[in-house]
Amino acid sequence: MKILSVPKKDLKQIISIFNREIGRFVFFVFVLFFDSIYFSENVTNSQLLINILMLAGFFKMYFRSTPRVKELMIYAVVLGVGGEYLFSRGLSMYTYRLENVPLYVPIGHAALYGRIFMFSKNSIVRKHHKDVEQLFSIFIIIFATIYLLFFNDIFGFVMTIGVFLLLWKRPKDRLFFYSMYILVAILEIGGTAFGCWKWPSIGFEVFEFLPSNNPPSGISLFYFLLDVSCFFIYTQRHKITWKRLKNIRSITT
């Protein structure tokens, strides 16, 4: 495994950066308990509190980010709202506990997007990106296979294959999306375990030939839409800068 060849000093830095940029977001999984079925039935409905906490975390991260990340985070919130209503309310791909779209969800998408972006663009991580990518890809394959064999998660496995196929000719995006796959999987496991949202037993509650676990493993496939959309809007707003960057890349390659 390539990751074992990374110098210990660099490996420690990568782990530290992972904990700083992504590990903190994992803490939010435990905050989801306050929007759980158990908490709402035995204590009180505190979805409003989680919305406030997520807003606070979002703005804290926003004001500490670079201008580019700030702009991408705003796009992610706007597109996240539209995507949630489309996939959850429109296509019944999954259903939230109160059959709404909690405010913390699209805001969480933006925070997740920003955290992974900063991790994947860090200089020491980029230096050893192939080693990290191999480690993450092995984890993803094992994870999706376990879900397929033990939970009959055909829907998730098909989406996982889709992730690898879409990244086949996009090597520059692999680190970002492998990281996103893992973080989304952790978030989905926590959210569904608490009953904050639920996935149907078949894909889109329509396709019987696609049995699904709750949650399916490869849901990060749909985050491609968020990333591509954010990136497209950014390049359209900064056409001159983006054109200059492409010219530099063509010269260096």
Side-chain angles (χ1 to χ4, degrees):
M1 190 180 296
K2 291 182 179 180
I3 197 68
L4 298 177
S5 64
V6 176
K8 289 185 178 180
K9 182 180 178 181
D10 289 359
L11 185 59
K12 287 181 178 179
Q13 289 186 47
I14 292 172
I15 294 173
S16 176
I17 295 165
F18 183 90
N19 290 335
R20 185 183 71 221
E21 302 296 352
I22 296 180
R24 290 179 183 177
F25 189 86
V26 175
F27 172 75
F28 179 67
V29 175
F30 298 98
V31 176
L32 288 174
F33 172 74
F34 297 106
D35 190 33
S36 67
I37 294 175
Y38 176 86
F39 195 85
S40 63
E41 290 181 349
N42 294 276
V43 185
T44 184
N45 180 20
S46 60
Q47 194 172 97
L48 176 61
L49 175 60
I50 298 180
N51 289 337
I52 294 173
L53 288 174
M54 179 54 76
L55 271 172
F58 172 84
F59 282 116
K60 180 180 179 181
M61 178 183 173
Y62 178 83
F63 289 116
R64 290 185 175 183
S65 300
T66 63
R68 182 183 181 186
V69 174
K70 286 180 179 178
E71 188 172 342
L72 289 170
M73 287 177 68
I74 295 298
Y75 299 153
V77 170
V78 176
L79 294 170
V81 171
E84 285 295 328
Y85 275 97
L86 172 63
F87 291 118
S88 178
R89 307 302 298 147
L91 300 177
S92 299
M93 191 175 182
Y94 46 88
T95 305
Y96 289 101
R97 180 175 62 84
L98 299 179
E99 297 187 1
N100 63 345
V101 176
L103 178 62
Y104 68 75
V105 174
I107 296 174
H109 286 325
L112 179 148
Y113 184 93
R115 287 290 180 190
I116 295 175
F117 184 88
M118 288 188 287
F119 169 74
S120 61
K121 296 301 180 182
N122 185 276
S123 59
I124 192 67
V125 176
R126 292 302 307 169
K127 178 181 177 182
H128 301 286
H129 71 94
K130 290 185 178 181
D131 308 314
V132 179
E133 288 165 12
Q134 185 195 60
L135 175 65
F136 285 0
S137 65
I138 291 173
F139 175 86
I140 290 169
I141 292 170
I142 294 174
F143 175 75
T145 301
I146 289 174
Y147 263 47
L148 175 66
L149 297 178
F150 292 94
F151 303 105
N152 195 32
D153 183 29
I154 297 177
F155 185 42
F157 193 79
V158 169
M159 288 192 290
T160 300
I161 293 175
V163 169
F164 283 109
L165 289 177
L166 285 174
L167 293 173
W168 185 264
K169 292 186 177 182
R170 299 184 63 174
K172 293 181 180 179
D173 295 328
R174 288 174 188 166
L175 179 59
F176 181 89
F177 278 105
Y178 288 167
S179 303
M180 179 171 285
Y181 185 109
I182 293 172
L183 188 52
V184 168
I186 294 172
L187 189 61
E188 285 287 339
I189 291 172
T192 52
F194 291 139
C196 302
W197 59 83
K198 183 180 180 180
W199 292 80
S201 58
I202 58 175
F204 291 96
E205 212 169 19
V206 173
F207 303 108
E208 296 184 0
F209 61 91
L210 289 175
S212 175
N213 185 49
N214 178 35
S217 61
I219 185 54
S220 65
L221 173 66
F222 287 89
Y223 278 72
F224 273 99
L225 299 177
L226 180 66
D227 173 62
V228 171
S229 299
C230 289
F231 186 70
F232 175 77
I233 296 173
Y234 184 86
T235 56
Q236 292 304 301
R237 279 182 50 82
H238 302 274
K239 289 183 178 180
I240 296 177
T241 303
W242 179 241
K243 184 176 181 180
R244 187 184 302 122
L245 179 61
K246 288 197 296 183
N247 290 336
I248 294 173
R249 286 180 177 177
S250 63
I251 293 173
T252 55
T253 56

